[in-house]
Amino acid sequence: MLSSYFSHRVYCQADFPRLTRLLGEYLSSKRYFVGDDDGCDYFKLSDLRAYDYQASVIAAPVKWLLKEGHGLLFKSVNLRRQCIEKGLSYKDFPIALRQRFSTHPNYIEIDSFRSQYDVQKSEGKELENWLSGYGFKAYIRSFNGEFIDVIETGYADADERAEEVHKLVQEFLEQKSIPTFDLSGFSDDMLWLVHNLHPDTLRVLVTAEQIRKALPDLPDCSAIVIEYCKAVEIELNHRLLVPLRSHLNGAGSSNSACLSIPNELGRLKQYVYGASAKQIELGALANTIEAALRYDSHPLAAGLMQNIRALPLMGSPKKLIDSVLNLTQNYRNPAAHKAILSSMQMERCRELVLGATTDIGLLFRIVQSS
């Protein structure tokens, strides 16, 4: 089995048997060889090992095969069959794939050793052009292209768009565990903060940092801004609301808190006593805290205020409200509603959340206080 650097894929709108035949024709047209060094034969269609979900063959130009001692692994893959076996549905496909191919979104995969990745890319582009020249719709997925497709797609919900971005970062940038990211531009206090962050917070911060590095000239940085704002949202929910829900729903707790709840605390009531503990969005959370200040004699509001006052580095609850409203009104809401946010605005948002060399950020004030 070849050790793959990355599965370089050329997607094609052709049914699986046809795609397999096209792969065979392409390799034959290039007079590629299959076999070992002692007995290479010109590529033949019969050499494809075909199953109901893929067909594969190792092939290469004979001079390159003899020189390197190995070839490229070509596979035509039945994506629909693959999804059935993995329990996936069409909505689980990348958005760009769904946009381009309503039927038969199958692909040809080219694998090789890490040292041959440039050959993979070159071969993939040549295959894409060959398929297109015969009238077949084909394209190669890339991080840049997929990212632009995601942010330009009309998602009704910003969180759905963010989730698609997370998938892209994990797939293309291979961040399957918690990596480190550059802390050189922050205060030394940030070094102590990282290990105290919620795993979901790390996930969105890593996503933001990776995109920021991978696409430095991005004209619209809304998707990155959403990630930084979401980090604050996750930590506030985790440190203020999760303990409140646990306490008020715990064994022996009084039900008096859920009686005669003011309308302004309705979102908090839904979170605490609802069947599903869906996170309260950043702006709604600021409004909820503001309402809790006015109704602090109510058990539900009092419990929230107690958790807020346990964040000494935040100062007064009003200071937390102002900070969250600033982040929401100037960054989160414009980003969620498809406004164009420049890289300069994104950097200001990043400093508000993570801090800068001379000042600690909002995230530190929340997490380090807990």
Side-chain angles (χ1 to χ4, degrees):
M1 179 61 68
L2 296 177
S3 175
S4 174
Y5 169 82
F6 179 73
S7 297
H8 200 73
R9 296 177 179 179
V10 181
Y11 285 82
C12 181
Q13 186 157 322
D15 59 64
F16 177 63
R18 178 179 293 180
L19 185 65
T20 301
R21 289 196 298 272
L22 287 171
L23 173 58
E25 291 171 11
Y26 170 75
L27 295 174
S28 294
S29 71
K30 296 194 69 173
R31 298 182 67 80
Y32 265 29
F33 283 78
V34 295
D36 55 29
D37 294 348
D38 296 327
C40 292
D41 297 319
Y42 281 123
F43 181 84
K44 300 177 183 178
L45 288 178
S46 59
D47 288 321
L48 274 168
R49 297 191 299 277
Y51 305 94
D52 57 353
Y53 61 92
Q54 75 171 41
S56 61
V57 66
I58 297 178
V62 67
K63 290 182 180 180
W64 186 70
L65 181 68
L66 292 171
K67 178 182 178 182
E68 302 294 337
H70 59 81
L72 296 169
L73 174 61
F74 291 86
K75 292 189 292 187
S76 62
V77 180
N78 185 339
L79 191 55
R80 191 178 304 278
R81 178 70 181 179
Q82 190 179 67
C83 283
I84 291 173
E85 292 183 350
K86 294 183 178 180
L88 302 176
S89 65
Y90 198 65
K91 66 180 177 61
D92 296 310
F93 292 177
I95 185 65
L97 189 59
R98 283 181 275 158
Q99 288 175 319
R100 287 174 170 84
F101 302 129
S102 58
T103 60
H104 306 311
N106 300 309
Y107 62 86
I108 294 173
E109 183 173 294
I110 306 170
D111 289 346
S112 187
F113 289 99
R114 294 175 183 271
S115 60
Q116 303 301 333
Y117 185 55
D118 287 341
V119 177
Q120 285 177 259
K121 291 195 295 183
S122 175
E123 193 69 48
K125 189 61 182 177
E126 192 170 338
L127 176 56
E128 179 191 27
N129 292 336
W130 187 86
L131 290 167
S132 299
Y134 280 85
F136 292 94
K137 189 176 181 181
Y139 89 114
I140 298 174
R141 295 183 65 213
S142 68
F143 178 78
N144 293 32
E146 294 282 305
F147 181 78
I148 296 300
D149 283 334
V150 168
I151 65 175
E152 290 184 350
T153 299
Y155 284 102
D157 184 64
D159 288 335
E160 292 180 9
R161 189 163 72 247
E163 187 58 33
E164 288 291 334
V165 171
H166 295 162
K167 292 177 184 177
L168 279 179
V169 168
Q170 184 176 22
E171 177 184 357
F172 282 92
L173 303 182
E174 299 183 324
Q175 302 299 327
K176 300 185 184 304
S177 59
I178 299 175
T180 57
F181 52 96
D182 186 11
L183 296 171
S184 59
F186 306 119
S187 65
D188 292 339
D189 294 321
M190 275 294 292
L191 294 172
W192 302 101
L193 176 66
V194 172
H195 296 293
N196 294 325
L197 293 173
H198 189 279
D200 290 342
T201 306
L202 278 170
R203 184 186 183 214
V204 299
L205 286 179
V206 167
T207 297
E209 293 293 288
Q210 292 289 356
I211 299 172
R212 178 174 170 267
K213 292 176 183 177
L215 303 174
D217 301 321
L218 196 64
D220 179 13
C221 297
S222 298
I224 308 178
V225 167
I226 286 289
E227 299 299 311
Y228 289 127
C229 293
K230 199 165 185 63
V232 174
E233 179 182 296
I234 291 167
E235 289 297 335
L236 285 175
N237 274 270
H238 175 62
R239 295 171 190 279
L240 298 181
L241 302 186
V242 171
L244 181 64
R245 176 183 168 92
S246 177
H247 173 69
L248 293 179
N249 285 285
S253 62
S254 171
N255 291 326
S256 61
C258 63
L259 301 176
S260 304
I261 293 180
N263 290 336
E264 293 93 329
L265 296 175
R267 185 68 185 86
L268 184 60
K269 173 189 174 182
Q270 182 183 355
Y271 174 86
V272 171
Y273 296 110
S276 175
K278 185 180 184 297
Q279 279 191 178
I280 299 181
E281 298 77 12
L282 205 55
L285 186 54
N287 294 331
T288 297
I289 296 171
E290 200 167 27
L293 274 172
R294 297 194 299 271
Y295 297 99
D296 61 355
S297 61
H298 190 282
L300 190 60
L304 177 59
M305 298 311 300
Q306 180 180 349
N307 289 346
I308 292 172
R309 293 188 176 102
L311 305 178
L313 292 184
M314 282 307 309
S316 67
K318 185 65 169 63
K319 184 175 182 180
L320 175 59
I321 293 169
D322 291 343
S323 298
V324 174
L325 284 177
N326 174 33
L327 192 64
T328 301
Q329 293 170 358
N330 293 314
Y331 299 101
R332 202 272 181 189
N333 286 351
H337 292 94
K338 304 292 282 184
I340 303 297
L341 296 186
S342 67
S343 59
M344 185 177 297
Q345 289 172 297
M346 179 268 291
E347 291 295 336
R348 286 201 295 264
C349 176
R350 182 174 181 261
E351 288 187 3
L352 280 174
V353 173
L354 297 178
T357 304
T358 57
D359 190 24
I360 59 176
L362 181 56
L363 204 57
F364 182 88
R365 296 178 184 274
I366 295 167
V367 177
Q368 189 64 22
S369 300
S370 302

